[in-house]
C-alpha cells in the first residue's frame, strides 16, 4: 500500500494527548517511507456526546467504514459513564459501537516483557524474562452481546440475566485468526474455555478442534480458562498465542498484560478479518488503557501503548510488518536509555518520550 486513509478519534481524557503522539510517529514513519497518509479527525464517546448527543455519530461510523484504519485514543469519564441511552450495549459506548458495526471480531492484545521495566512486574527475576503473549479476544459476540439479556423481577427479587451463546461460524473465524498468527510465531496456540460446565464452550472446543485439522503443523492445546489463568500467572514463558471468547479473552488479556510492567505500555487492535501476511485488513487500533481522567491535561500520559498501536496498524492494515518491528525496536531503545513517563518510574513528559522515539526512528 502506498497511501492510506486513517480516521483518528482522540476520545476523552488523555485520549487526544496520546493520539497526538501516535499520529506524530505515524506521519514521521510514513514520510520516511514515501507512504501517503490522509488523516481525518473526529469525535468519539464523551467528546461526541457533548457535541452531537450520541456516543458515535452516524457520520463518524460511515467515515470509519470508508477508512483503511481507525486510530482511537481512549474513551470514557465519570461525566458520561452514568448515561444510559436506548439500545444494546453497543449504543452505550462509542468504541463498542465502532467495533460492533465494523464487525472487528479479532481482538489482539499483545503483552511483552520489557527488560528495563522488570522491576515493575510482580515476577521473580527470570520468571517473565522474554515473555511475549498474544491474547486473541472474540470481540463481537458471546455473553456481552447475545440475547436475551435484561433486568426484571422474579419471585419479588430483582433479577438480571445475560446469554452465553456462539454459533460455529463465530467460533471458527476467531480460531482461524489465532492459527494464522500462531503460524507466524511459535506454532503453539491455546484455546481457553469452560467446556467442562457450559454448552456454548462445548461447541467452542469442538469447533476449535475441527479448525485445527486445517493447520496440521500447528499445536492446539485446549485449556479450561481458570487453569489457563493460573498457568499464565505461574509461567508466562509457556504461552504464546491464547484465544478466548469475549469474556474469557477480556480477563486473560488483562492478566497476561502484567508481564509488560505498566498499563500505559499496552497496544491493541481489533481486526475486521482473519489476518493474512499477503493481504491487508481494516482494523481499529488503540492503547489498552482508558482515559485516565486523574492525569488528563498534565502532559504526562505514557504514549507508548498508543505508539505501539500505530505499529500494529502498519503491520495489519498497511501491510508493513517491518515498520511495526522498527517502531517496537525504537521503543525498546528509548526505555533502555531510561526515558519514560512517571507511570513507569520516569520523569519524562508525553512529548519527551514521543520526541525520543522519533529521534531513534530518524537515526
Ligand atoms: P484507566 O486506564 O483510564 O486508568 C487507570 C490508572 O492507570 C489511572 O491511575 C491512570 O492514571 C493510569 N493510566 C492509564 N493510562 C495511562 C497512561 N497512558 N499513562 C499514564 N498513566 C496511565 O482506567 P480507569 O481509571 O478504570 O477508567 C477511566 C475511564 O476510562 C473510565 O471512564 C473507563 O470507562 C474508561 N476506559 C476506557 C477504555 C478504552 O477507551 N478502551 C479502557 C478502560 C477504561
Ligand atoms: Mg479489559
Amino acid at each position: 500500500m502506498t497511501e492510506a486513509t486513517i480516521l483518528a478519534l482522540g476520545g476523552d481524557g488523555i485520549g487526544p494527548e496520546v493520539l497526538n503522539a501516535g499520529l506524530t510517529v505515524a506521519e514521521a514513519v510514513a514520510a520516511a517511507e514515501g507512504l501517503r497518509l490522509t488523516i481525518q479527525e473526529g469525535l468519539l464517546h464523551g467528546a461526541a456526546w457533548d457535541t452531537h448527543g450520541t456516543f458515535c455519530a452516524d457520520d463518524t461510523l460511515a467515515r470509519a467504514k470508508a477508512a483503511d484504519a481507525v486510530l482511537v485514543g481512549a474513551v470514557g469519564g465519570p461525566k458520561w459513564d452514568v448515561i444510559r441511552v436506548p439500545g444494546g450495549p453497543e449504543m452505550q459506548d462509542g468504541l463498542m459501537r465502532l467495533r460492533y458495526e465494523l464487525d472487528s471480531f479479532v481482538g489482539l492484545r499483545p503483552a511483552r516483557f520489557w527488560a528495563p521495566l522488570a522491576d515493575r512486574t510482580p515476577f521473580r527475576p527470570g520468571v517473565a524474562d522474554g515473555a511475549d503473549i498474544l491474547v486473541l479476544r472474540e470481540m463481537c459476540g458471546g455473553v456481552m452481546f447475545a440475547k436475551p439479556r435484561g433486568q426484571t423481577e422474579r419471585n419479588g427479587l430483582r433479577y438480571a440475566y445475560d446469554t452465553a451463546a456462539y454459533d460455529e461460524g463465530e467460533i471458527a473465524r476467531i480460531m482461524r485468526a489465532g492459527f494464522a498468527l500462531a503460524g507466524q510465531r511459535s506454532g503453539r496456540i491455546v484455546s481457553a474455555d469452560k467446556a467442562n460446565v457450559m454448552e456454548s464452550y462445548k461447541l467452542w472446543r469442538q469447533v476449535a478442534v475441527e479448525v485445527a485439522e486445517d493447520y496440521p503443523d500447528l499445536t492446539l492445546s485446549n485449556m479450561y480458562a481458570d487453569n489457563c489463568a493460573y498457568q499464565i500467572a505461574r509461567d508466562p514463558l509457556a504461552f504464546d498465542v491464547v484465544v478466548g471468547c469475549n469474556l474469557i479473552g477480556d480477563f486473560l488479556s488483562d492478566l497476561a498484560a502484567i508481564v509488560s510492567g505498566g498499563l500505559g505500555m499496552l497496544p491493541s487492535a481489533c481486526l475486521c478479518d482473519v489476518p493474512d501476511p499477503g493481504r491487508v485488513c481494516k482494523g481499529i487500533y488503540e492503547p489498552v488503557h482508558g482515559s485516565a481522567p486523574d492525569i488528563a491535561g498534565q502532559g504526562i500520559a505514557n504514549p507508548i501503548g498508543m505508539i505501539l498501536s500505530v505499529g500494529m496498524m502498519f503491520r495489519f492494515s498497511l501491510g508493513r510488518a517491518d515498520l511495526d518491528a522498527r517502531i517496537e525496536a525504537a521503543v525498546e531503545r528509548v526505555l533502555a536509555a531510561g526515558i519514560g513517563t512517571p507511570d513507569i518510574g520516569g520523569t519524562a513528559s508525553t512529548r519527551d518520550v514521543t520526541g525520543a522515539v522519533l529521534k531513534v526512528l530518524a537515526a
Side-chain angles (χ1 to χ4, degrees):
M1 255 175 130
T2 56
E3 56 182 328
T5 300
I6 293 161
L7 178 64
L9 306 169
D12 311 312
I14 62 167
E17 300 171 41
V18 295
L19 176 69
N20 192 32
L23 287 176
T24 314
V25 171
E27 285 177 321
V29 168
E33 291 292 313
L35 294 170
R36 215 162 61 87
L37 299 186
T38 303
I39 313 277
Q40 301 184 344
E41 297 193 8
L43 303 173
L44 192 66
H45 200 72
W49 180 269
D50 290 348
T51 307
H52 303 301
T54 169
F55 290 124
C56 176
D58 292 342
D59 166 64
T60 304
L61 199 53
R63 287 196 293 153
K65 285 181 176 169
D68 295 297
V70 181
L71 286 177
V72 174
V75 302
K79 177 176 168 197
W80 308 285
D81 286 356
V82 290
I83 298 170
R84 288 287 163 270
V85 300
E90 71 281 5
M91 295 310 290
Q92 315 305 323
D93 183 308
L95 196 49
M96 291 262 275
R97 182 164 191 223
L98 269 186
R99 290 171 179 162
Y100 186 75
E101 295 281 346
L102 265 61
D103 196 26
S104 60
F105 64 98
V106 187
L108 293 185
R109 306 280 177 94
R112 56 155 289 184
F113 177 80
W114 304 92
L117 304 185
D119 288 351
R120 306 194 72 82
T121 74
F123 296 100
R124 268 177 287 119
V127 174
D129 292 33
D132 183 2
I133 304 174
L134 177 61
V135 177
L136 274 79
R137 168 184 171 194
E138 197 290 321
M139 297 300 298
C140 293
V143 74
M144 300 206 184
F145 288 107
K147 291 186 175 114
R149 52 188 282 139
Q151 293 200 25
T152 171
E153 216 181 83
R154 208 170 74 162
N155 305 327
L157 296 172
R158 285 176 297 163
Y159 179 76
Y161 54 96
D162 299 282
T163 303
Y166 273 114
D167 69 36
E168 59 179 321
E170 291 173 304
I171 303 167
R173 65 180 188 168
I174 187 70
M175 288 310 308
R176 286 195 186 287
F179 280 102
L181 292 163
Q184 297 167 40
R185 295 167 57 106
S186 69
R188 288 175 293 121
I189 173 169
V190 168
S191 169
D193 62 39
K194 287 293 288 176
N196 46 341
V197 279
M198 290 167 70
E199 291 301 326
S200 60
Y201 292 116
K202 289 191 203 307
L203 180 63
W204 179 282
R205 184 169 289 211
Q206 221 170 347
V207 173
V209 170
E210 288 163 13
V211 169
E213 287 170 12
D214 292 341
Y215 303 86
D217 301 339
L218 309 183
T219 311
L220 169 71
S221 310
N222 293 290
M223 293 179 81
Y224 297 130
D226 44 352
N227 178 44
C228 183
Y230 176 83
Q231 298 299 340
I232 291 175
R234 194 183 65 84
D235 183 12
L237 294 175
F239 290 84
D240 185 35
V241 174
V242 179
V243 186
C245 71
N246 210 334
L247 186 67
I248 290 173
D250 190 17
F251 294 167
L252 293 184
S253 59
D254 272 36
L255 180 70
I258 307 174
V259 303
S260 75
L263 185 53
M265 298 297 299
L266 297 155
S268 80
C270 294
L271 306 181
C272 304
D273 208 341
V274 172
D276 172 343
R279 196 180 54 189
V280 296
C281 66
K282 192 194 288 285
I284 305 170
Y285 302 86
E286 41 162 335
V288 166
H289 64 76
S291 61
D294 52 332
I295 58 161
Q298 297 178 29
I300 55 165
N302 187 345
I304 293 179
M306 183 81 235
I307 289 170
L308 295 172
S309 303
V310 165
M312 293 181 82
M313 177 189 77
F314 278 115
R315 178 181 293 268
F316 293 108
S317 288
L318 280 80
R320 295 295 302 266
D322 58 322
L323 300 182
D324 182 24
R326 205 184 292 170
I327 290 172
E328 189 173 336
V331 167
E332 211 155 15
R333 290 272 300 278
V334 167
L335 293 174
I339 301 169
T341 42
D343 57 299
I344 52 170
T347 55
S349 66
T350 307
R351 185 189 294 239
D352 294 336
V353 173
T354 309
V357 171
L358 289 170
K359 202 166 150 199
V360 174
L361 284 169

